[in-house]
Amino acid sequence: LTVGDETDVPPGGAYVRVDDRAMVVSRELAQALLQSPLELVETVVWGVAASDVTAITIGAEPSERRLDHRNLTLLSPEGARVSRKKVEELFSLLLTLRVQRWLPPATAPDVPLRVALETTDGVRVMWLGGPCPEDSAGRVARFDGGRYACVAGALAPAARAVAEAPADDALFSMRRDEVERVTLRAPGRVFDAARREGGFHLVDPE
């Protein structure tokens, strides 16, 4: 297949030759045929679900911090729960991470921050660095195999926030919409409410 000059009708289309046959293709197909090979590489970085994650390691030895993933919360090596808000921010970025654009290795700066995602089918690793060339809002990432790319700039601060976060001092790790029933008891008194039809209704006292 050979792509030729742009056509006037349809506007933005292109002439192509397939073997010995000449034809005109649409603008969309012409743009797809002429795009850089780097644009054809999958942009979803990991494509895993939160339930598949067993641990996250941030940093490298001797200062790395490994966090076990249990019941959708992250526990530090000491067993203390890490701030759920910070964890959810990091997970949201990691599990939906997409490459903004791929970079030739020669243009990429140092990438000192290591982030390893341990899953049920293996370990996925990337290193985060400084601002992307010509895009100070993004950050350079290096993946296994020596591939470099620009990714969301918010990822590195979110990873550091989890790595440096103190233990979560909240009594429970849950959101309001995860609560199905609340029961409080004291001598001679009881408050029992259960979720029903979009709200909470008293069970005892009725």
Side-chain angles (χ1 to χ4, degrees), residues 89-117:
E89 289 173 355
L90 178 59
F91 263 78
S92 176
L93 289 166
L94 282 176
L95 300 183
T96 61
L97 185 63
R98 286 183 175 270
V99 167
Q100 296 175 350
R101 61 189 173 99
W102 294 98
L103 299 172
T107 67
D110 292 335
V111 281
L113 180 61
R114 181 179 183 271
V115 178
L117 202 67

Side-chain angles (χ1 to χ4, degrees), residues 31-172:
Q31 290 174 340
L33 292 171
L34 295 173
Q35 64 186 321
S36 166
L38 288 175
E39 299 300 323
L40 300 176
V41 180
E42 174 63 75
T43 59
V44 175
V45 174
W46 283 325
V48 298
S51 57
D52 296 329
V53 179
T54 57
I56 292 179
T57 301
I58 302 170
E61 294 182 352
S63 58
E64 72 176 24
R65 186 175 191 187
R66 184 179 184 277
L67 303 164
D68 292 322
H69 188 207
R70 301 172 190 169
N71 302 320
L72 295 181
T73 61
L74 283 169
L75 302 178
S76 70
E78 299 78 22
R81 190 176 63 243
V82 180
S83 167
R84 179 164 182 169
K85 179 180 178 181
K86 291 181 172 61
V87 168
E88 289 184 340
E89 289 173 355
L90 178 59
F91 263 78
S92 176
L93 289 166
L94 282 176
L95 300 183
T96 61
L97 185 63
R98 286 183 175 270
V99 167
Q100 296 175 350
R101 61 189 173 99
W102 294 98
L103 299 172
T107 67
D110 292 335
V111 281
L113 180 61
R114 181 179 183 271
V115 178
L117 202 67
E118 299 178 31
T119 70
T120 52
D121 63 350
V123 180
R124 294 162 169 82
V125 181
M126 74 175 164
W127 289 260
L128 294 170
C132 291
E134 303 176 3
D135 179 14
S136 59
R139 286 294 179 270
V140 173
R142 178 166 63 87
F143 302 100
D144 289 337
R147 296 179 301 158
Y148 289 81
C150 277
V151 298
L155 183 56
R160 289 193 177 95
V162 169
E164 300 168 359
D168 189 353
D169 58 3
L171 185 59
F172 301 108

Side-chain angles (χ1 to χ4, degrees), residues 129-203:
C132 291
E134 303 176 3
D135 179 14
S136 59
R139 286 294 179 270
V140 173
R142 178 166 63 87
F143 302 100
D144 289 337
R147 296 179 301 158
Y148 289 81
C150 277
V151 298
L155 183 56
R160 289 193 177 95
V162 169
E164 300 168 359
D168 189 353
D169 58 3
L171 185 59
F172 301 108
S173 178
M174 66 184 68
R175 292 187 295 265
R176 185 177 301 176
D177 60 358
E178 296 173 330
V179 178
E180 294 296 327
R181 190 163 184 165
V182 176
T183 303
L184 304 176
R185 297 184 183 277
R189 304 177 64 183
V190 64
F191 172 86
D192 189 1
R195 184 186 297 276
R196 187 173 70 247
E197 298 176 354
F200 281 88
H201 297 261
L202 284 174
V203 177

